[in-house]
């Protein structure tokens, strides 16, 4: 204590020397003592400052803070009354006095203070809001309503404090009253509509509020209830009643560009939620309206794209991704361009596509319609294998002002169709003609690789090997397709150029199977792989062919057959891949994690040098934790 008094005297003398007022020095010293933990010493100084200067706001606030911490309620009230006697215009402190009285179980006295405050200070909207929030803190609903009503009359604002009242009722789960207040705010203050909508949707998180919200909104629907329909649409969407949400959007109609945009966003949201039936209905409704009213072409294009995506979601099934085993992963020569068959009837799929095409027929050519024609071609090519229809769609896309990137892709796809149809010579000629005209500084493009692939699948193996060698000499290891070319080169060298007569004949058969795979003729491809194992037993390509066969059987739904082929690889150089694939089939397709663990553990124990060991080790831990 002596040291603090010494500091106090020293700072006082220094402050006087520096020309500071004694009051400021005292205030600084009290703050210093308070921080040092000498609360009583600081309290004495603050009190002495207020005696000499009853208007010192800082000393008053600091002393009040100390008394609150000490819980000395009577002293707090006495301090505040003394302060207000000297500073009667400090309406903040008058409100605080009422709060202090209320917290001290003197509710009647508190109300007297607040009512007196209303008589003296209730002038501006800011002051109305402050006293309103004071009443709200203590749940004095009648006073809140009185202040609200008075403010609406005073300022001619029918929705004054409506939002605040809605928040108050919502916190107390009086959802009907909250909704009434929110709607009043939204109707009279357009800038609050989004905020009100957010508050109503927040209420819908509570099960007990759902029926109240819906019935209250429906009771207010009339011919001019645009706001109510907008809120109902959002409410139904939030709560998963997508058909009802769609009905509300239809009631709102399509009268303006803003309506078109609203409906487009809504349809897109349905698609994100994977509510396919309602998304299709929404896009068709929008397109009918746009066509009938000759709406903007850019919106028609966006709606068509959305409709195309919706059809794709309806008919495209995600691949069951394999984590550890793939056939030449990401290699352009062995990419799988076909999706699994959709779980919709062929008739419904054809009907949907015909409807889609009828809409496209009336759409003006644009970059958007080009993308739509292309997506339609993708569905026809990669899903339903209608190669003729796909060609027509790709050509329509080409004639609809596509961007350069899309144009290049369309040109590539038109050549891919020849490969899919097994027309290898036509494919080779198509790509060969395009190569000189291709404007590219890169010696290797997707077109040149397709030309190489066409020649290889035509069994022009030696010529393809020469092309490979020359291409690899032109590029660096950093090139996008360098690894793809190297993998293909090794395949030809290992199983054909350096192979026995049996190896070479088996490799030619292997390429014939690849031709069928390019056309998604899996049955014929599988037959060739089976024949190879019988007629060319021991051929070097057979293990790789068996891996290809296992993956194809898995894609075709022959899970047991795929598992059997995978396990047959345990006596080959692809043992690690065979066991890993057997593990993935057991885990992800047969729902047999125990069997999967057996196969995975064999990879660790019997294939210790395999690059698959570390990722499988990590996976075993996750699988074990899941099982336990």
């Amino acid at each position: 204590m002596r040291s603090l008094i010494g500091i106090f005297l020293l700072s006082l003398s220094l402050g006087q020397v520096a020309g500071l007022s004694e009051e400021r020095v005292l205030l600084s010293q009290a703050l210093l003592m308070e921080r040092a933990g000498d609360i009583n010493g600081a309290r004495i100084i603050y009190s002495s400052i207020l005696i000499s200067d009853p208007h010192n706001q800082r000393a008053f606030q600091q002393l009040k803070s100390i008394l609150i911490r000490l819980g000395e309620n009577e002293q707090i009230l006495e301090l505040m009354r003394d302060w207000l006697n000297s500073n009667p215009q400090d309406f903040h402190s008058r409100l605080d006095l009422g709060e202090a009285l209320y917290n001290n179980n003197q509710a009647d006295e508190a109300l007297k203070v607040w009512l007196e405050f209303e008589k003296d200070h209730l002038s501006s909207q800011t002051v109305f809001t402050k006293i309103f929030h004071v009443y709200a803190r203590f749940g004095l609903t009648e006073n809140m309503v009185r202040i609200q009503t008075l403010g609406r009359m005073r300022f001619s604002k029918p929705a004054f404090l409506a939002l605040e009242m809605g928040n108050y009722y919502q916190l107390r789960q009086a959802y009907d009253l909250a909704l009434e207040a929110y709607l009043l705010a939204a109707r009279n203050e357009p800038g609050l509509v989004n905020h009100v909508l957010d508050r109503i949707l927040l209420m819908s998180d509570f099960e007990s509020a759902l029926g109240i919200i819906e019935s209250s909104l429906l009771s207010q629907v009339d011919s001019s209830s645009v706001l109510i329909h907008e809120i109902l649409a959002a409410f139904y969407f939030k709560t998963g009643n997508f058909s009802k949400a769609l009905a509300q959007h239809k009631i709102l109609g399509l009268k303006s560009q803003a309506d078109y945009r609203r409906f487009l966003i809504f349809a897109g949201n349905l698609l994100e939620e994977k509510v396919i039936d309602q998304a299709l209905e929404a896009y068709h409704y929008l397109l009918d309206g746009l066509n009938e009213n000759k709406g903007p072409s850019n919106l028609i294009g966006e709606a068509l794209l959305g409709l195309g995506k919706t059809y794709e979601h309806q008919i495209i099934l995600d691949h069951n991704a394999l984590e550890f085993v793939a056939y030449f992963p990401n290699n352009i020569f062995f990419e799988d361009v076909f999706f699994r068959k959709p779980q919709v009837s062929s008739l419904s799929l054809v009907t949907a596509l015909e409807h889609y095409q009828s809409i496209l027929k009336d759409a003006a050519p644009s970059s958007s319609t080009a993308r739509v024609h292309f997506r339609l071609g993708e569905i026809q090519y990669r899903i339903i294998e209608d190669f003729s229809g796909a060609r027509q769609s790709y050509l329509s896309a080409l004639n609809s002002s596509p961007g350069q990137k899309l144009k290049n892709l369309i040109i590539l796809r038109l050549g891919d169709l020849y490969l899919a149809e097994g027309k290898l010579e036509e494919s080779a000629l198509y790509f060969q003609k395009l190569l000189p005209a291709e404007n590219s500084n890169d010696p290797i493009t997707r077109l040149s690789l397709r030309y190489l692939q066409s020649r290889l699948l035509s069994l022009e193996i030696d010529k393809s090997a020469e092309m490979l060698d020359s291409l690899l000499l032109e590029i660096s290891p950093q090139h996008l397709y360098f690894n793809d070319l190297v993998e293909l080169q090794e395949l030809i060298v290992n199983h054909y150029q350096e192979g026995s007569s049996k190896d070479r004949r088996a490799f030619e058969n292997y390429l014939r199977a690849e031709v069928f795979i390019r056309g998604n003729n899996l049955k014929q491809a599988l037959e060739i792989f089976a024949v190879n194992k019988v007629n060319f037993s021991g051929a070097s390509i057979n293990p790789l062919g068996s891996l290809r066969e296992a993956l194809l059987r898995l894609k075709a739904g022959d899970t047991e057959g795929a598992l059997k082929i995978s396990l047959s690889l345990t006596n080959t150089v692809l043992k690690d891949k065979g066991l890993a694939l057997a593990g993935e089939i057991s885990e992800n397709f047969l729902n047999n994690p125990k069997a999967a663990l057996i196969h995975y553990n064999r990879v660790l124990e019997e294939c210790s040098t395999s690059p698959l060991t570390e990722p499988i080790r990590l996976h075993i831990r996750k699988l074990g934790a899941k099982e336990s």
Side-chain angles (χ1 to χ4, degrees):
M1 176 64 72
R2 287 181 181 176
S3 62
L4 287 174
I5 293 173
I7 294 172
F8 164 63
L9 293 173
L10 177 61
S11 62
L12 179 59
S13 61
L14 289 174
Q16 290 172 336
V17 171
L20 298 174
S21 68
E22 180 179 345
E23 188 174 285
R24 289 178 64 187
V25 174
L26 285 170
L27 188 59
S28 298
Q29 183 57 33
L31 290 168
L32 181 63
M33 295 172 73
E34 190 176 347
R35 289 176 193 141
D38 185 4
I39 302 300
N40 288 327
R43 176 177 178 176
I44 292 169
I45 295 176
Y46 292 137
S47 298
S48 67
I49 292 173
L50 286 171
I51 291 171
S52 60
D53 179 10
H55 307 293
N56 193 303
Q57 182 82 27
R58 183 67 184 278
F60 166 69
Q61 293 294 346
Q62 291 300 126
L63 181 56
K64 184 174 71 168
S65 177
I66 287 174
L67 295 175
I68 290 171
R69 270 185 280 162
L70 295 174
E72 298 182 7
N73 293 336
E74 293 302 325
Q75 286 77 6
I76 293 170
L77 294 173
E78 183 181 350
L79 171 67
M80 295 183 76
R81 288 191 177 103
D82 288 343
W83 173 260
L84 287 168
N85 285 335
S86 302
N87 303 273
Q89 297 305 312
D90 183 358
F91 70 82
H92 291 287
S93 291
R94 193 168 297 281
L95 291 175
D96 290 345
L97 174 60
E99 292 195 37
L101 287 165
Y102 206 98
N103 289 328
N104 199 40
N105 299 316
Q106 295 174 260
D108 292 340
E109 290 297 316
L111 286 170
K112 286 180 183 178
V113 169
W114 287 327
L115 290 173
E116 190 67 30
F117 170 87
E118 289 181 33
K119 289 180 183 177
D120 296 339
H121 299 287
L122 211 55
S123 56
S124 69
Q125 294 183 42
T126 301
V127 178
F128 266 84
T129 303
K130 285 185 181 295
I131 187 66
F132 177 90
H133 283 302
V134 169
Y135 289 142
R137 273 197 292 278
F138 296 102
L140 303 174
T141 309
E142 291 182 5
N143 294 65
M144 293 169 62
V145 173
R146 180 174 53 76
I147 288 294
Q148 183 189 60
T149 305
L150 183 60
R152 290 175 182 178
M153 294 171 59
R154 178 81 57 84
F155 305 112
S156 300
K157 285 191 168 185
F160 182 63
L161 294 173
L163 188 63
E164 291 81 355
M165 187 63 87
N167 293 339
Y168 173 80
Y169 284 134
Q170 183 176 344
L171 285 171
R172 284 153 181 78
Q173 299 182 0
Y175 299 122
D176 53 342
L177 295 174
L179 190 63
E180 182 182 340
Y182 284 143
L183 291 177
L184 180 64
R187 285 192 176 109
N188 289 276
E189 299 285 347
L192 292 177
V193 169
N194 288 334
H195 183 72
V196 164
L197 183 57
D198 288 342
R199 299 302 300 178
I200 293 173
L201 294 181
L202 191 62
M203 278 199 294
S204 69
D205 288 338
F206 300 93
E207 189 73 27
S208 57
L210 296 179
I212 295 171
I213 294 172
E214 183 177 18
S215 60
S216 296
L217 288 171
L218 289 173
S219 69
Q220 300 189 51
V221 168
D222 56 43
S223 58
S224 60
S225 303
V226 173
L227 174 66
I228 301 299
H229 288 303
E230 288 176 346
I231 294 174
L232 273 169
F235 168 73
Y236 284 135
F237 188 90
K238 166 79 182 296
T239 55
N241 292 309
F242 299 111
S243 293
K244 288 184 176 182
L246 177 57
Q248 293 299 317
H249 277 284
K250 286 183 176 180
I251 291 171
L252 288 167
L254 295 171
K255 308 178 191 70
S256 66
Q257 186 146 333
D259 286 329
Y260 297 140
R261 181 60 63 183
R262 166 182 54 81
F263 224 99
L264 189 63
I265 292 170
F266 171 65
N269 290 338
L270 289 172
L271 180 56
E272 277 192 24
E273 293 291 325
K274 295 183 172 57
V275 190
I276 302 304
D277 290 342
Q278 285 82 9
L280 286 172
E281 186 178 347
Y283 277 120
H284 281 302
Y285 180 86
L286 173 59
L287 282 164
D288 288 343
L290 284 166
N291 287 329
E292 183 179 337
N293 301 324
K294 297 181 179 178
S297 59
N298 65 313
L299 289 179
I300 293 175
E302 288 186 53
L304 283 168
L305 276 175
L307 182 61
K309 290 178 184 176
T310 308
Y311 280 135
E312 289 174 24
H313 274 273
Q314 185 187 36
I315 60 183
I316 294 177
L317 299 172
D318 292 333
H319 290 284
N320 284 310
L322 294 168
E323 186 176 352
F324 305 119
V325 181
Y327 193 78
F328 288 107
N330 304 315
N331 189 304
I332 193 171
F333 296 107
F334 301 100
E335 60 187 348
D336 184 2
V337 299
F338 294 98
F339 293 104
R340 289 185 295 131
K341 294 297 182 185
Q343 292 177 333
V344 293
S345 70
S346 298
L347 180 60
S348 64
L349 180 55
V350 170
T351 302
L353 291 180
E354 285 177 352
H355 189 184
Y356 194 29
Q357 287 171 312
S358 69
I359 295 171
L360 272 173
K361 191 185 300 180
D362 298 324
S366 68
S367 60
S368 293
T369 53
R371 293 200 302 274
V372 177
H373 280 295
F374 176 76
R375 296 182 86 96
L376 180 58
E378 293 287 273
I379 294 171
Q380 292 167 306
Y381 167 36
R382 304 176 68 181
I383 298 170
I384 61 177
E385 298 168 40
D386 174 11
F387 302 140
S388 177
R391 182 172 282 107
Q392 291 177 12
S393 295
Y394 289 140
L395 289 171
S396 296
L398 203 58
N399 295 325
S400 298
S401 305
Q404 189 60 48
K405 186 175 180 181
L406 180 59
K407 182 179 179 180
N408 292 341
L409 192 52
I410 294 167
I411 290 169
L412 182 73
R413 282 289 189 263
L414 287 168
D416 284 343
L417 289 174
Y418 287 120
L419 284 174
E421 293 166 329
K423 298 176 180 178
L424 302 177
E425 189 59 33
E426 289 92 331
S427 172
L429 290 173
Y430 173 84
F431 288 118
Q432 188 177 29
K433 287 178 182 177
L434 288 172
L435 293 180
E438 189 176 21
N439 184 19
S440 174
N441 295 322
D442 190 342
I444 300 179
T445 63
R446 293 173 80 176
L447 293 179
S448 62
L449 295 184
R450 282 289 190 268
Y451 174 64
L452 169 60
Q453 186 174 32
S454 301
R455 289 302 181 196
L456 180 62
L457 294 179
S458 299
L459 301 186
E460 298 179 29
I461 303 173
D462 291 322
K463 182 176 180 179
S464 300
E466 290 175 12
M467 289 174 60
L468 262 173
D469 293 340
S470 62
L471 288 173
L472 283 169
L473 288 174
E474 295 185 60
I475 60 172
S476 70
Q478 286 73 42
H479 192 280
L480 176 63
Y481 297 119
F482 181 83
N483 288 336
D484 296 18
L485 291 167
V486 168
E487 287 177 340
L488 185 61
Q489 184 187 53
E490 289 177 351
L491 190 71
I492 294 172
V493 170
N494 294 337
H495 305 295
Y496 186 81
Q497 291 180 326
E498 294 182 358
S500 65
S501 175
K502 181 198 293 186
D503 292 335
R504 292 162 71 90
R505 292 173 66 190
F507 184 73
E508 289 173 352
N509 261 1
Y510 164 85
L511 292 178
R512 291 188 180 98
E514 287 293 330
V515 173
F516 285 121
I517 292 169
R518 289 294 305 185
N520 209 31
N521 297 317
L522 302 188
K523 182 179 179 181
Q524 291 90 332
L526 292 172
E527 286 176 359
I528 290 177
F529 288 130
V531 166
N532 254 13
K533 282 185 282 189
V534 174
N535 293 350
F536 304 107
S537 176
S540 62
I541 194 66
N542 284 351
L544 203 55
S546 291
L547 178 62
R548 186 70 151 156
E549 181 184 359
L551 293 169
L552 290 175
R553 288 188 181 279
L554 191 60
K555 182 182 178 183
D558 181 10
T559 309
E560 293 293 346
L563 179 62
K564 183 179 179 181
I565 299 294
S566 301
L567 291 173
S568 74
L569 289 169
T570 55
N571 297 317
T572 73
V573 293
L574 297 180
K575 180 178 184 176
D576 58 337
K577 287 185 171 62
L579 288 171
L581 182 57
E584 294 201 75
I585 292 171
S586 299
E587 179 185 354
N588 300 321
F589 294 85
L590 298 176
N591 195 27
N592 190 345
K594 289 183 179 179
L597 282 171
I598 292 172
H599 301 313
Y600 291 145
N601 279 310
R602 284 190 65 188
V603 176
L604 302 185
E605 294 165 5
E606 301 173 27
C607 312
S608 58
T609 60
S610 168
L612 293 176
T613 54
E614 280 310 306
I616 285 178
R617 194 189 311 278
L618 292 173
H619 186 70
I620 286 174
R621 291 177 192 167
K622 294 177 186 176
L623 193 58
K626 198 182 296 183
E627 284 300 294
S628 61

